[in-house]
Amino acid sequence: MAAQRRPAGPTGMTAGQPSRPEATMPDQAALPDTVSLSVGGRAVADYVWQPRLPRTVSPRPFLHPVRTLAGTEVTESMPEDHPHHLGVSVAVADVGGANFWGGRTFVPGHGPVQLPNHGTQRHHDWTARTSTAVRHELRWVGPDGTELLHEYRRIAALPLSGQAWALDFGFELTNVTAGPLTFASPATNGRLGAGYGGFFWRARRGDRRVHVLGPERTGERHLHGRRTAWLALTGSGTDPWTLIFVAADQPRRTDLWFVRSRDYAGVGSALAWTQPLVVAPGGRVRRRIVTVVADGRLRSRQVADLAGTVAAIPAEAAQS
């Protein structure tokens, strides 16, 4: 295995060396397993950084619940239909043969099969932990205990005007193995349309109708597997909400969107849709998704305006 090193953060910052002095971090053993993020003094998201979960869901840090400013929950965790869906997380179905998504693995010629191949994402070290932002290092460990990836992750809750705020989620994965590491999906392994893997948000649907919006098209059928600058979900009912997902810092290689709105509500930015993503030893995969969380069912023009606003937010803003 390649020598371990501290990866650079999504903005070029070296993990463990914040851009400004930080308060001394407390002993990790004394910290609670969940960090609450706030906007304007309102708790809007809980980040479970040290989950205690069964191996079959591919244990990993996740955000749940995430709430609007009015308190409406817009995430689901471990629902009956997909117990391995954990609110907001980074999940990949196949990394060098290890399952970091959870649940069954799609095997060509056999379909979904339950295998003992589940990996775990483990917290390693904090670089920042406040009421508005967290930054930490993680280790992606395969089922045999081998470290495959080192991750630097940054999550921040940012205020916006009106009844909305933004969740800024950036991550960088570094291949620490001695050889090339392949990121794959059920789609690259033969299951058409199932190109999920990467940033993924399982939204709370309940009995409400969920609509899918894009810059030029609407509906799951027209936006699933498409490459657009943003994509939005809106939920109706007595407490309507809107989620706007913006592929920030990706002007030339915006990932295709994985979206579901009928059997369940969820959005992901897919790393490997039709072709596996192969990362050389020491190579990096860097992504940043900024999600607007708003009360009310916003109209297309309002969604487009907000998407443009958050797309212009520099990653450095989440570190202030």
Side-chain angles (χ1 to χ4, degrees), residues 65-204:
V66 178
R67 315 170 189 85
T68 68
L69 292 177
T72 300
E73 292 188 8
V74 289
T75 53
E76 285 188 336
S77 180
M78 300 189 74
E80 283 189 22
D81 53 60
H82 293 80
H84 48 281
H85 287 183
L86 305 176
V88 182
S89 69
V90 182
V92 182
D94 185 343
V95 180
N99 181 343
F100 289 94
W101 177 270
R104 296 177 295 176
T105 296
F106 184 83
V107 178
H110 296 277
V113 178
Q114 190 70 36
L115 299 176
N117 65 341
H118 296 90
T120 303
Q121 296 173 24
R122 298 174 182 168
H123 166 82
H124 178 70
D125 191 26
W126 291 108
T127 60
R129 178 183 164 124
T130 71
S131 63
T132 59
V134 295
R135 300 197 294 274
H136 68 138
E137 298 175 46
L138 301 94
R139 303 291 187 254
W140 289 45
V141 182
D144 63 353
T146 300
E147 288 189 1
L148 303 177
L149 296 163
H150 287 184
E151 178 186 352
Y152 180 78
R153 182 176 299 186
R154 175 186 50 75
I155 304 172
L158 307 177
L160 298 174
S161 60
Q163 283 296 101
W165 64 280
L167 181 74
D168 192 334
F169 195 121
F171 64 94
E172 182 176 277
L173 306 172
T174 301
N175 175 6
V176 295
T177 72
L181 194 60
T182 299
F183 290 70
S185 68
T188 65
N189 292 332
R191 184 183 173 191
L192 186 64
Y196 52 79
F199 172 90
F200 181 69
W201 186 304
R202 171 65 189 245
R204 179 177 292 278

